[in-house]
Amino acid sequence: MIRVIAMDMDGTLLNSRKKISPRTREALLRAQERGILLILASGRPARGLTEFARELEMDSHHGLLVCYNGSKVVDCQTGEELFNQAMTVEEGRAVLEHMKKFDQVRPMIDRGEYMYVNNVYNQMIHVDGKEFNVIQYESRGGHYKLCEKDDLAAFADFPLNKILTTADPEYLKAHCQEMMEPFKDSLSCMFTGKFYFEFTAKGIDKAKALDAVLTPMGYKREEMIAFGDGYNDASMLAYAGRSVAMANGVEELKAQADEVTASLDEDGIALVVERILK
């Protein structure tokens, strides 16, 4: 019996217009009425998830927000932090100092309502032959105000849940090994999209966060179904008793999953949830 539904956000729950479709919303509302726990699991911070949680009425059902790829979990009804494992100040500063060697990499960090970058006007990367304003995209998605800091490493005197870096996909692919080399044994370093490379505390992923909070709550992994589309969803799908990849997902994830559903614009989640509820 399914008692937990865990979902990635971008590329999975949200369609290409960054919305939850009416059919998917209705299916997930019905699931909660049946007592199924909903979990949003994303690289986003909590402030980038709360509007969607409210739309799904998760704030009335103790739904969970797995943020920063698993380094923090929040009960979206009470606001309580159920799990939090950030990098140390020294680890965060070391990453930010190392990123200075890569002239096309743009690091981004957050604190409170602000996202901090070196240059708010150095916004554009090239993705699939088109220019993309990545700083605007990230700041709007997380509901952040933007602030410039010439030296992020010197500024970051507080623990960071995540350091997000971005560049043209070709540049990141060519330099990712060098970017992660000093930290490969001490931090989790991974692609979360073709133009995103992220750093979190060692061992952090979505599966660890889920296990840390669900086991004490009395849920079993066999009772969970998980949906995802990207590399950073692999641990979550491996953890869940039933795993579903989106048709628009990366090939490696689709090969791993128990099932491949329709794409983000074809109500892929709703199709599966409706079957569960029958």
Side-chain angles (χ1 to χ4, degrees):
M1 181 177 69
I2 297 298
R3 297 179 62 207
V4 180
I5 299 174
M7 301 162 285
D8 174 56
M9 293 293 292
D10 300 280
T12 303
L13 176 62
L14 303 182
N15 61 26
S16 57
R17 295 183 293 113
K18 299 299 178 184
K19 303 289 185 182
I20 302 173
S21 76
R23 182 176 177 181
T24 298
R25 179 179 182 273
E26 178 60 28
L28 294 172
L29 289 174
R30 286 171 50 213
Q32 287 180 114
E33 290 169 3
R34 299 273 189 92
I36 297 175
L37 178 71
L38 296 191
I39 301 175
L40 305 184
S42 173
R44 293 182 181 219
R47 61 188 301 118
L49 300 176
T50 50
E51 65 177 296
F52 301 108
R54 290 194 194 101
E55 185 178 348
L56 294 172
E57 300 179 13
M58 292 169 60
D59 52 338
S60 299
H61 296 87
H62 287 284
L64 303 181
L65 307 179
V66 175
C67 317
Y68 299 114
N69 280 318
S71 74
K72 182 182 289 189
V73 182
V74 178
D75 181 322
C76 63
Q77 183 165 332
T78 65
E80 180 186 1
E81 287 186 7
L82 305 179
F83 175 80
N84 188 11
Q85 185 176 337
M87 290 176 283
T88 66
V89 173
E90 293 75 19
E91 288 170 337
R93 281 181 154 172
V95 171
L96 292 167
E97 191 66 38
H98 185 57
M99 289 306 104
K100 295 175 184 178
K101 299 177 181 179
F102 306 94
D103 59 354
Q104 294 186 39
V105 169
R106 301 161 181 82
M108 305 178 219
I109 61 174
D110 68 275
R111 189 182 199 188
E113 61 182 340
Y114 284 93
M115 188 175 85
Y116 296 91
V117 297
N118 292 125
N119 182 352
V120 297
Y121 298 105
N122 185 14
Q123 304 165 329
M124 309 305 293
I125 60 174
H126 296 86
V127 182
D128 298 329
K130 299 178 182 178
E131 281 199 326
F132 175 61
N133 190 329
V134 67
I135 289 180
Q136 180 186 52
Y137 176 78
E138 279 300 311
S139 61
R140 293 293 181 263
H143 299 286
Y144 288 120
K145 298 176 182 178
L146 280 170
C147 185
E148 287 185 343
K149 293 293 179 181
D150 293 334
D151 190 336
L152 289 174
F155 168 70
D157 60 353
F158 48 91
L160 295 169
N161 283 93
K162 182 180 81 169
I163 296 173
L164 174 63
T165 72
T166 185
D168 291 358
E170 296 78 12
Y171 185 90
L172 280 184
K173 188 174 181 180
H175 293 84
C176 63
Q177 292 299 322
E178 187 181 354
M179 289 167 62
M180 69 182 287
E181 181 62 29
F183 314 107
K184 61 184 182 181
D185 297 323
S186 58
L187 297 175
S188 288
C189 319
M190 71 183 76
F191 275 99
T192 55
K194 57 187 175 182
F195 52 88
Y196 287 134
F197 194 80
E198 302 188 2
F199 299 84
T200 55
K202 180 67 175 176
I204 285 298
D205 57 30
K206 294 180 181 181
K208 179 176 181 178
L210 289 168
D211 190 60
V213 298
L214 291 178
T215 299
M217 294 171 69
Y219 293 101
K220 300 176 182 178
R221 56 194 296 180
E222 294 81 11
E223 298 170 327
M224 179 194 303
I225 186 169
F227 296 85
D229 75 299
Y231 297 111
N232 59 325
D233 298 320
S235 69
M236 178 170 71
L237 266 64
Y239 178 81
R242 184 172 170 187
S243 58
V244 184
M246 308 299 289
N248 52 278
V250 298
E251 293 303 319
E252 294 88 337
L253 196 72
K254 289 191 282 187
Q256 166 194 336
D258 296 322
E259 175 183 352
V260 177
T261 189
S263 75
L264 75 169
D265 286 323
E266 298 171 317
D267 293 307
I269 289 179
L271 292 171
V272 178
V273 173
E274 287 166 359
R275 291 204 310 267
I276 292 171
L277 297 177
K278 282 184 178 179

